[in-house]
Amino acid sequence: MTAQHIVSVSSQEEVADGLYVLRFRSEQIAQTSLPGQFVNIRTSDGFAPFLRRPFSISRVDGELVEILFNIVGAGTRLLAGSAGR
Ligand SMILES: Cc1cc2nc3c(=O)[nH]c(=O)nc-3n(C[C@H](O)[C@H](O)[C@H](O)COP(=O)(O)OP(=O)(O)OC[C@H]3O[C@@H](n4cnc5c(N)ncnc54)[C@H](O)[C@@H]3O)c2cc1C
């Protein structure tokens, strides 16, 4: 199923050098997520990076959805600065 949701970042922490755990709240994604699925995240409000970036869902806890990501380029650098958006 493809759907688009605007979510707020609930928390984000750097758990190792360049490795982040990010949690966002989404009842719809949490309720329909299955192991192995991923979310395509728009990492910026602007045009760059143009494409969404895929991240596997690592955990769902109630309405909270968690991803674990590593900084490799522009999109993940922006994502690492996304707390509070
Ligand atoms: C289905 C799927 C699920 C994914 N799940 C996760 C996840 O849970 N956690 C996570 O950290 N990453 C995950 N990735 C990888 C993640 O999507 C990329 O790291 C991310 O898109 C990089 O975006 P960027 O804008 O930071 O880097 P870009 O600017 O797009 O890339 C920077 C440089 O890194 C290279 N690069 C980009 N991605 C990769 C890669 N995966 N392997 C090797 N080189 C790469 C590019 O070719 C480029 O040279 C997943 C990818 C897919 C396809």
Side-chain angles (χ1 to χ4, degrees):
M1 184 180 71
T2 303
Q4 187 166 291
H5 304 282
I6 295 173
V7 302
S8 295
V9 175
S10 300
S11 68
Q12 178 173 270
E13 60 181 303
E14 188 173 14
V15 292
D17 191 25
L19 188 67
Y20 288 78
V21 172
L22 182 153
R23 296 181 189 91
F24 60 87
R25 194 172 296 279
S26 172
E27 187 182 346
Q28 298 97 322
I29 296 174
Q31 285 181 351
T32 55
S33 293
L34 293 170
Q37 290 185 325
F38 63 92
V39 284
N40 254 332
I41 296 183
R42 186 175 167 196
T43 59
S44 145
D45 291 333
F47 287 107
F50 184 67
L51 296 175
R52 288 165 167 75
R53 302 306 200 227
F55 298 94
S56 306
I57 295 170
S58 57
R59 186 187 302 190
V60 173
D61 181 10
E63 293 181 356
L64 283 181
V65 181
E66 181 182 289
I67 62 164
L68 183 67
F69 70 94
N70 200 27
I71 295 186
V72 297
T76 45
R77 256 196 307 279
L78 283 164
L79 201 57
S82 64
R85 272 206 272 156

